[in-house]
Structures are given as structure tokens and as C-alpha cells.
Amino acid sequence: MRKLKAKHLREEKGIALVIGMLLLLIVTLIGISALNNSTYDLLISGNERASVQAFYVAEAGINELMGRFRDGAIDQIPDSAPSNPNWKVRLAKYPGKGAIQIGYVSGDPNFIASLQNQLDFGVEIEHKIDGTNQVVQYGGVPIYLLKSYGFTADGGNKVLEVELVKSPNYDPPSALYSEMSVHIQGSSIYINGNDGCGATNKPGIITTTTTTPPITESGNPSINGSPPKVTLTSNPSPMILPIKEMLDYLKGNANFKYSFNENQTLNGYSDSWGTPTSSDTTVPITYTGPMNIVYFNMNGDKTLVLTGNSHGAGILLVEGNLEINGGFTWYGVILVAGSVKYTGGGQKNVTGGIMVGENAMIGTNIGENAGIIYCSEVSEKLKEIVPPLKMTRWREIF
């Protein structure tokens, strides 16, 4: 019995060494796996960091181009051919990978050097083209497609694409613009397109209607301008302002927004829109306070009545009809998709201009004590509150 036990023990001699080696091998494999995972994590983290950095570089290219694409910007990038479907401008740090990507060549007039030399991006901007190879417009100005390539020193790269819309022109073409007939009633009417604040003279009234007569007068109104009255019905097509698109561009930026499902009368309403003062309907208002964007959504065909000495400064947007009753003072531009009607007594002074859309239901009636005076100073102040560019679409291509 003792011999069998000794023999068994001799057969198991060295088993501990084998088990120890196996355990050591397992631990080694686990360590190698952990090291590989750590290495992979570092690589992934590095790639992610390079990708994020390239994204911000591409975004910086977009921001520089948008900043220089504004009217009056320092080192402005202009659109020299807004109706040309082949127009294109390239912006890049030169030399760099971004410049190579967009085919940048120093000295080419269509290539513009970036104002910085640290970030490596290349940006292309061109007009959006429709199926007939015509430039697509919004609000009377082209829509732009912009593509930005961003690169980093450690190999990161990113491509972004955005669609841009430039601000329509909110400087009125005349003191009163209407796409329907204009009816002037009363002897205490003063409409003047001659610049009350500068030297940019414009017509008193412009209408684009084909209705005969386009402008009717009763009493003895005073209509002045260069010329006093214009009807644009001849070929080429008459100048029709994109009133709806102009409204749509601005309404999202309004700092005062209202919506009504039925006709609405607001008495003495101002709601901190601004307090311009005027004692005469024939003299331009002087105003130094903040300009506002005020938007009324009247659901297309409902009427907003402002009465009881309502007042404000900036841009008044009415998606519907507007009736001004009694005293009223506005320093800025009034943009109405439907019709405008003046009723009741009281002094009414609009210094800037009024633009009325083509879907007017009752024409444009200006009556009683009313002054509409074009003022170029207004359009300059409006630039402070109108966003010069907007992104309407954005996507990450790579």
C-alpha cells in the first residue's frame, strides 16, 4: 500500500510547475490584450481628436467667409456676378492642404487668401443652380452653396457643406410701394420720396399693378419724389418685390412676435417697440433709440388694426392686412403681405417707407392726416438688426 502511494506521488511530481506556467501564460495573454486595447483606445482617441479639430478648422473657414461676405465688411468678399451660374470664389490659407484641395493658385483673382495663417482650410462658394442652369434666388438675391475642407497636422480632415441665404434689400424703392392699386384720399396727405435725411431721392409712389387707373387721388394730396409717381407695367417684367420671402427671412429674428386667428384691434399699442416723436406729418422723425423687428402673424388674410397712437421703431412685419386708425408714429419700414388702409383722424407719420404685397384685398388707401417720408438714414440703421446671412441647410459630408 505504501509502495502504491509513493509511486502515485512520484507520477505527480512537476505538476505545480506546469500549472504555474499555464497561469503565467494566461496572465501574459491578459496583459497583452489589455495593452492592445489601451493602444487601440489611444489610436481611436487620437483619431477622434484629430477629426474634431478638423471639424472646427472647417467651421472656422465657413465663419471667415461669412464674416467677409457681408456688405461693408473689412476685406469684403463680393459677389461680382450675381446672375452668373458659373461664378465661384475660393478662400484658403496658402500654402496648405486646404488650398491644394480646392485648387488654390496664388495670383488667381478668383482665389482669396485667408486673413489668418494658423488654420489649414479651403473654402469654395458658388451660386445654387436650378435644372435650367439659372441662379436660384430667395428674396431677390442668390442662394449660395458653400463647402469647407478642414485639415490638421496629424492627418485629420473634415468636409462641411452649408446653404446660405443673403439678406434681401429692406431699403424701400419709394416712400410707398404697392403691388396693387393705390387710392389717395384727402387733402392732408404728404407722401415724399425725396430723401428727408440725405441725398438718395426716390419716387413718392411705385405700383406694379395692371389695374387702370393704378393710382387714384381725391382732394388735394401732396405727392413728391423723383418722379412723384411710377407705374411699372412695361417689359421687361415689372419690379415686383419678394414681399413674402422678405417677411419669411426676418420673422424668425423678430424680438416681438404675435399671432392671431381672427381680426385684431390693438389700442395704443407699443409694447416697448420704441418711442419716436413727431409733431408734424411733413417732417422726418428723428430717433436715436434701439431698432426692433415686430412681427404679426395674422394667418394670411386677417386684419390687424393699430389705433390710439400706436408707435414704434424698426421693421413692422404683418403677414395679413394692416389698418392704421387714428394717431400713429413709426420710424423705420413697414412690410405688409396683404393690404394697408389708413382710417380715422389723428396724425400719422411713417419715416422710412411702406411696402405692400401683391395679395392686397382692398388696395392701399391713404387718407386723413398722413405723412410717408422716405429716409435713407433708416435703411442704414436697419442693417444693425437685419442678419446679413443665414444658414438654411447644413451637413457634414465627411
Side-chain angles (χ1 to χ4, degrees):
M1 184 70 178
R2 288 180 179 176
K3 291 181 179 180
L4 290 174
K5 185 176 181 181
K7 181 179 180 182
H8 180 70
L9 291 173
R10 284 195 300 273
E11 290 175 350
E12 292 183 354
K13 188 176 181 180
I15 190 69
L17 177 61
V18 174
I19 293 174
M21 292 182 67
L22 287 174
L23 291 174
L24 181 60
L25 177 61
I26 292 171
V27 171
T28 301
L29 291 174
I30 292 174
I32 292 172
S33 176
L35 181 62
N36 285 337
N37 287 338
S38 178
T39 302
Y40 292 145
D41 287 344
L42 288 173
L43 289 173
I44 291 171
S45 176
N47 290 337
E48 176 66 19
R49 183 176 64 254
S51 178
V52 170
Q53 288 176 344
F55 175 91
Y56 287 124
V57 171
E59 191 174 53
I62 293 172
N63 289 335
E64 179 176 343
L65 192 140
M66 289 182 65
R68 297 175 64 181
F69 204 53
R70 296 177 293 108
D71 292 339
I74 298 175
D75 292 305
Q76 180 183 343
I77 298 174
D79 182 352
S80 58
S83 61
N84 183 356
N86 299 316
W87 175 87
K88 178 181 286 190
V89 167
R90 297 175 177 88
L91 169 72
K93 170 199 168 186
Y94 184 81
K97 294 180 181 178
I100 295 172
Q101 176 68 44
I102 64 173
Y104 190 99
V105 178
S106 180
D108 189 321
N110 292 322
F111 291 89
I112 299 172
S114 171
L115 297 178
Q116 56 79 49
N117 58 11
Q118 299 297 318
L119 302 178
D120 190 355
F121 56 71
V123 184
E124 298 176 311
I125 184 169
E126 59 187 355
H127 294 143
K128 185 175 183 179
I129 307 302
D130 63 17
T132 63
N133 200 39
Q134 299 298 310
V135 177
V136 180
Q137 293 193 346
Y138 181 90
V141 294
I143 296 177
Y144 299 91
L145 295 178
L146 184 152
K147 189 178 291 184
S148 182
Y149 302 84
F151 295 89
T152 63
D154 52 0
N157 63 92
K158 189 66 66 175
V159 184
L160 305 179
E161 183 181 73
V162 299
E163 184 176 280
L164 297 176
V165 176
K166 213 169 186 179
S167 169
N169 185 7
Y170 291 94
D171 184 21
S174 57
L176 173 63
Y177 167 93
S178 175
E179 292 171 7
M180 298 293 286
S181 56
V182 178
H183 308 287
I184 311 298
Q185 302 171 342
S187 59
S188 300
I189 311 300
Y190 182 79
I191 300 175
N192 193 356
N194 293 325
D195 196 347
C197 313
T200 308
N201 295 332
K202 297 191 175 184
I205 299 174
I206 289 179
T207 178
T208 61
T209 186
T210 56
T211 302
T212 303
I215 301 173
T216 60
E217 303 173 37
S218 62
N220 188 28
S222 175
I223 303 174
N224 303 304
S226 303
K229 294 175 283 187
V230 176
T231 302
L232 299 174
T233 58
S234 59
N235 289 323
S237 298
M239 180 194 71
I240 298 178
L241 295 180
I243 299 290
K244 182 64 169 64
E245 293 174 357
M246 294 170 73
L247 272 161
D248 289 341
Y249 185 88
L250 273 187
K251 65 186 183 183
N253 294 91
N255 43 340
F256 297 94
K257 300 179 183 179
Y258 312 89
S259 182
F260 299 103
N261 293 317
E262 56 187 18
N263 297 338
Q264 187 72 25
T265 298
L266 301 179
N267 188 8
Y269 216 66
S270 65
D271 203 11
S272 301
W273 299 344
T275 310
T277 58
S278 175
S279 59
D280 194 332
T281 58
T282 63
V283 177
I285 299 169
T286 56
Y287 178 77
T288 58
M291 304 287 276
N292 298 290
I293 300 176
V294 182
Y295 169 63
F296 282 91
N297 177 12
M298 302 305 296
N299 284 277
D301 60 351
K302 302 302 184 294
T303 298
L304 167 69
V305 181
L306 294 178
T307 187
N309 295 309
S310 297
H311 54 269
I315 302 178
L316 174 60
L317 308 171
V318 180
E319 202 157 5
N321 305 312
L322 173 64
E323 180 179 336
I324 296 173
N325 182 280
F328 179 79
T329 307
W330 192 269
Y331 179 86
V333 170
I334 298 176
L335 195 65
V336 182
S339 64
V340 167
K341 183 178 182 181
Y342 276 32
T343 59
Q347 291 189 335
K348 304 174 180 67
N349 188 323
V350 175
T351 295
I354 299 177
M355 294 177 277
V356 186
E358 61 182 343
N359 61 331
M361 297 174 61
I362 55 175
T364 304
N365 294 276
I366 306 298
E368 304 301 332
N369 257 353
I372 304 175
I373 305 168
Y374 173 73
C375 174
S376 59
E377 177 186 88
V378 167
S379 63
E380 291 302 314
K381 290 186 178 181
L382 292 181
K383 291 178 181 179
E384 300 173 4
I385 60 172
V386 175
L389 285 169
K390 282 188 176 183
M391 288 188 189
T392 55
R393 185 171 59 84
W394 179 97
R395 69 181 180 128
E396 185 177 318
I397 297 178
F398 174 78

